[in-house]
Each structure stands twice: as C-alpha cells, then as structure tokens.
Amino acid sequence: SSQPVRLYVKAVMVGYKGGQRTQYADKALVKIQGVEDKESTEFYLGKRIAYIYKAKNPKKDGSKFRVIWGKIQRSHGSAGVVRAEFRNNLPPKANGGPLRVMLYPSRV
C-alpha cells in the first residue's frame, strides 16, 4: 500500500523555438504528458523543469547524474506545448528526450 509517490510530471523536449530561417536554442519546446490544449498549460506556467542526464565522470558525491534546471514560461500553439528556458541551453541530444516537470512552485 505504501507505493512511492512521483512528485513530477513526465514531459518530452520536442525541439527549439524557431522562425522560418532561425532557431532559438535558448527556448525549448516541451510536450507535457496529459496536456492536450492551451487551457491545460495554464497550471504548469512558472513550474520548474529538469533535464537529467548521465555523464562519464562522477561528481564529488559519486553520482554520474547531472541536471539542467529550467522554468516553464508560456504556452506555444494550441496543442498543449509549452516554452521553457533553461539555465544552460539544452543540448541537441535532449531532443525527444525525457524531462521532469516539478509540481512546484505552486500558484494556487
């Protein structure tokens, strides 16, 4: 009965914000699981988002996992995609990769 509780929502990076001939790597487009329209994105605006990846060399604490933190800024289009800005731009290998949308800070 004591199942572990997941305190984040799964998401996928679908690409960078772009114009017809330009690509803005500082703005990542993110598809959040279970969000299918613009109205549903409202809850997630301002939430923290994490890209977790594995590196070759361990950190001082022995962990090989590293995190790039970001924040969801606004919706993008009408299909439930959001724009996020990360402290460091997400690398191209993150394209199509998993992200975690944390359920804080709360705006309720």
Side-chain angles (χ1 to χ4, degrees):
S1 64
S2 61
Q3 291 285 76
V5 179
R6 181 156 49 85
L7 296 174
Y8 61 90
V9 177
K10 294 180 181 179
V12 174
M13 178 190 172
V14 292
Y16 299 110
K17 175 179 179 268
Q20 194 170 8
R21 293 171 189 82
T22 46
Q23 175 170 289
Y24 299 99
D26 56 333
K27 304 277 188 284
L29 301 181
V30 177
K31 182 79 177 115
I32 304 169
Q33 194 176 51
V35 177
E36 302 299 332
D37 57 2
K38 195 172 201 145
E39 288 68 47
S40 310
T41 63
E42 181 66 30
F43 170 79
Y44 293 99
L45 302 186
K47 297 278 187 276
R48 296 242 155 254
I49 184 167
Y51 172 61
I52 300 175
Y53 62 101
K54 212 168 173 186
K56 182 171 185 277
N57 296 319
K59 297 188 294 194
K60 283 195 175 79
D61 63 2
S63 164
K64 287 191 174 184
F65 289 100
R66 302 197 187 162
V67 185
I68 301 177
W69 285 99
K71 188 187 284 185
I72 294 180
Q73 293 184 315
R74 54 173 295 179
S75 65
H76 179 91
S78 58
V81 175
V82 294
R83 279 182 217 169
E85 191 171 328
F86 287 80
R87 285 185 195 155
N88 295 87
N89 293 352
L90 288 187
K93 76 167 189 180
N95 236 328
L99 301 169
R100 295 181 178 186
V101 178
M102 304 300 169
L103 296 177
Y104 55 83
S106 171
R107 296 193 306 136
V108 179

